[in-house]
Amino acid sequence: MKIAVLGGDGYCGWATALYLSKKGHEVAIVDNFVRRLWDHELGAQTLTPIRPLSDRLSAWHRLTGLTIESYVGDITDYEFLSTVIKNFEPEAVVHFAEQRSAPYSMIDRGHAVFTQVNNVVGTLNLLFALRELQPDCHLIKLGTMGEYGTPNIDIEEGYIAIEHNGRKDVLPFPKQPGSFYHLSKVHDSHNIMFACKIWGLRATDLNQGVVYGTITDEVALDEALINRFDYDEVFGTVLNRFCVEAVVGHPLTVYGKGGQRRGFLDIRDTVRCIEIACQNPAARHECRVYNQFTESFSIMDIAGIVQAAAKKINLAVEISHLPDPRVEAEDHYYNAKHSKLIDLGLQPHLLSDAMLDSLLKVAVKYRDRIDTSLILPSVNWRNARNNYRERAKSSPSAKPSASQMKKVGVSSD
Ligand code: NAD
Ligand code: USQ
């Protein structure tokens, strides 16, 4: 198939582009490298030394003989995006190209506005481009389990059968997201559902849980193909962060009680889920929703698992409870369905000792690149402005930049 991977220079997108290319698909990456810019803005860097996209793609070609095309540009620019769709004529578009950090979206007004404009406008542009140029193309959109929040009832896969005052319907599952980022995904979901209904587009909205891991078979081929591994307080996700904390002897940063329960998955399952969605396209007019995670854990479960794995390599790790910088339930009911991708053939890689060992080894290997000042959270949901800039100013590599906000006509507060 001809598959465009929007956001293909990022964490999930890079692993996915290589995996699909290896499977024989014709792949094009679309990215504007804004994720790399956010690292500069925050004075942070990925634990792993990722190469520029052009180097990565040359290495892939040299090692496998396979070619991945690249289109560099911003998908909020309709002219750029429509040119890509017109030239590449994808049969499937996998859309990862969004600002994906909840803390980043909660820094201040400027970052909240930027996140929602970037994400909602990018997706709207894509819907219009597909309608105009490639209406039969299957849109595979990365949503998030966080769209649902943590309701006191079971979470279904996208839709729920409701009986109300004697009448029945199947309706979108209620959404109670926990950040302006997660809200942007809800807005996307509504726009996609509407576009499928009115224009007959076909879409799969994958509500993905928290992804962990960095090594996939393809990435492991050569150091030049290494993927991102974020551990900083803004972009690092919890399991990756705890592994880095364990390696530098920092007490694990459990926010609040740690009873927050989330769906998790291995990055090797992320790429496989995308392949499954490509192989089983939605019908015209259909907007399917799959919950894309394989296991759920509380944050205290994760802390205990990392502590035990670290002990096996003689690292003594403490668990600390920090005041939760987020506004979220710290102890709650959680039972989210996730059978549709399994029914289509997903064989999950469950969180194993081998995976923890591999994550800890990556952290040990790149220990010299760990900046411990990036670990403690400084973005607080209750503040209208956060102090991340003070930290960024004190870091020699920091280049605080508001250029991406200027682009969409807002300024940073
Ligand atoms: P990432 O930040 O590593 O990658 C996103 C990529 O998109 C980056 O390379 C960035 O430069 C690009 N991008 C962003 N805005 C763009 C724009 N306007 N035009 C062109 N390119 C743009 O993020 P990720 O972790 O790979 O996540 C990918 C997607 O998966 C996101 O939509 C995210 O919401 C979703 N997701 C991620 C996780 C996770 O744990 N990482 C979990 C659930 C869902
Ligand atoms: N947490 C801690 N300590 C930490 C970091 C996080 O206790 O050091 C807690 C958070 O408070 C939260 C949970 O761990 O309750 C998950 O936080 P996270 O930062 O690992 O993940 P989250 O903010 O939910 O976002 C990540 C991705 C996002 C994706 C989402 C999937 O960054 O793109 O949408 O996971 S989900 O969580 O299912 O919404």
Side-chain angles (χ1 to χ4, degrees):
M1 291 175 73
K2 294 186 79 172
I3 306 176
V5 180
L6 278 47
D9 187 48
Y11 172 52
C12 301
W14 177 239
T16 302
L18 296 190
Y19 179 83
L20 294 174
S21 170
K22 191 72 193 298
K23 290 277 177 168
H25 300 290
E26 192 178 334
V27 175
I29 283 178
V30 183
D31 207 297
N32 65 347
F33 309 138
V34 66
R35 175 69 192 83
R36 294 174 186 250
L37 179 69
W38 296 326
D39 275 346
H40 285 299
E41 181 196 2
L42 298 166
Q45 62 177 354
T46 143
L47 173 68
T48 45
I50 58 170
R51 307 279 170 90
L53 182 62
S54 52
D55 290 4
R56 291 172 138 189
L57 294 179
S58 312
W60 180 244
H61 182 66
R62 176 170 48 78
L63 291 157
T64 63
L66 297 164
T67 302
I68 296 177
E69 276 181 64
S70 67
Y71 293 87
V72 176
D74 185 336
I75 66 160
T76 66
D77 172 353
Y78 187 73
E79 289 307 307
F80 164 74
L81 180 64
S82 54
T83 305
V84 172
I85 300 294
K86 196 188 263 171
N87 290 351
F88 186 64
E89 298 183 322
E91 293 161 83
V93 173
V94 187
H95 178 18
F96 291 108
E98 298 205 328
Q99 192 301 96
R100 67 110 176 123
S101 157
Y104 189 89
S105 75
M106 300 303 292
I107 288 173
D108 56 18
R109 184 193 67 83
H111 290 79
V113 172
F114 170 74
T115 298
Q116 294 212 351
V117 172
N118 186 63
N119 295 0
V120 175
V121 172
T123 298
L124 258 182
N125 278 350
L126 181 57
L127 292 169
F128 273 87
L130 293 180
R131 174 210 177 193
E132 189 183 329
L133 302 161
Q134 203 70 2
D136 205 37
C137 175
H138 179 202
L139 167 61
I140 298 162
K141 165 68 170 48
L142 270 291
T144 173
M145 285 303 294
E147 292 185 36
Y148 302 116
T150 53
N152 199 30
I153 57 170
D154 292 350
I155 294 172
E156 303 297 324
E157 300 202 50
Y159 299 88
I160 182 169
I162 295 182
E163 186 169 345
H164 180 61
N165 292 344
R167 298 185 66 81
K168 289 182 188 167
D169 206 345
V170 176
L171 298 171
F173 195 91
K175 306 285 175 83
Q176 299 183 83
S179 73
F180 288 119
Y181 152 71
H182 287 98
L183 274 154
S184 75
K185 296 291 200 181
V186 173
H187 305 328
D188 283 343
S189 294
H190 287 143
N191 287 341
I192 295 167
M193 224 171 255
F194 183 66
C196 288
K197 185 163 85 179
I198 59 169
W199 299 329
L201 298 185
R202 53 172 98 233
T204 302
D205 201 353
L206 295 172
N207 282 340
Q208 185 169 237
V210 186
V211 184
Y212 58 81
T214 190
I215 310 289
T216 52
D217 288 349
E218 294 71 37
V219 159
L221 278 179
D222 193 273
E223 180 83 7
L225 300 175
I226 200 159
N227 202 352
R228 306 189 64 87
F229 186 128
D230 299 310
Y231 68 93
D232 62 285
E233 54 132 341
V234 175
F235 275 94
T237 49
V238 65
L239 180 52
N240 291 359
R241 272 168 64 70
F242 283 2
C243 288
V244 165
E245 292 167 4
V247 164
V248 292
H250 193 292
L252 305 188
T253 52
V254 172
Y255 296 165
K257 290 184 196 155
Q260 303 92 314
R261 187 165 276 276
R262 298 288 182 270
F264 288 82
L265 76 162
D266 186 313
I267 187 139
R268 292 173 294 176
D269 290 337
T270 293
V271 302
R272 172 69 181 131
C273 289
I274 301 294
E275 182 188 29
I276 289 173
C278 290
Q279 288 166 337
N280 299 276
R284 296 292 298 260
H285 287 282
E286 186 185 18
C287 178
R288 301 183 303 200
V289 183
Y290 295 160
N291 291 346
Q292 181 169 313
F293 70 96
T294 58
E295 291 173 278
S296 73
F297 298 102
S298 74
I299 302 309
M300 276 308 284
D301 293 339
I302 295 285
I305 289 168
V306 172
Q307 188 181 43
K311 198 171 170 193
K312 287 189 188 150
I313 54 167
N314 298 321
L315 295 172
V317 173
E318 283 173 37
I319 296 175
S320 63
H321 289 265
L322 307 178
D324 196 337
R326 307 185 183 196
V327 177
E328 61 186 350
E330 291 174 24
D331 207 358
H332 55 88
Y333 178 78
Y334 196 73
N335 182 29
K337 305 283 173 63
H338 55 110
S339 59
K340 290 188 178 173
L341 285 158
I342 306 269
D343 292 346
L344 289 171
L346 174 67
Q347 294 179 311
H349 294 86
L350 299 181
L351 183 56
S352 63
D353 287 351
M355 166 50 80
L356 283 155
D357 192 49
S358 140
L359 276 168
L360 289 167
K361 276 194 181 131
V362 174
V364 169
K365 182 171 179 189
Y366 298 106
R367 196 184 188 293
D368 289 350
R369 289 171 57 89
I370 299 173
D371 176 350
T372 51
S373 75
L374 301 173
I375 291 177
L376 286 178
S378 65
V379 179
N380 191 302
W381 266 222
R382 295 161 188 88
N383 296 344
R385 297 174 59 153
N386 282 288
N387 70 356
Y388 88 100
R389 273 173 197 282
E390 278 157 36
R391 193 197 59 216
K393 264 188 240 146
S394 66
S395 160
S397 65
K399 291 181 194 153
S401 157
S403 64
Q404 70 268 51
M405 281 162 263
K406 282 195 197 115
K407 181 172 64 61
V408 294
V410 296
S411 64
S412 161
D413 289 327

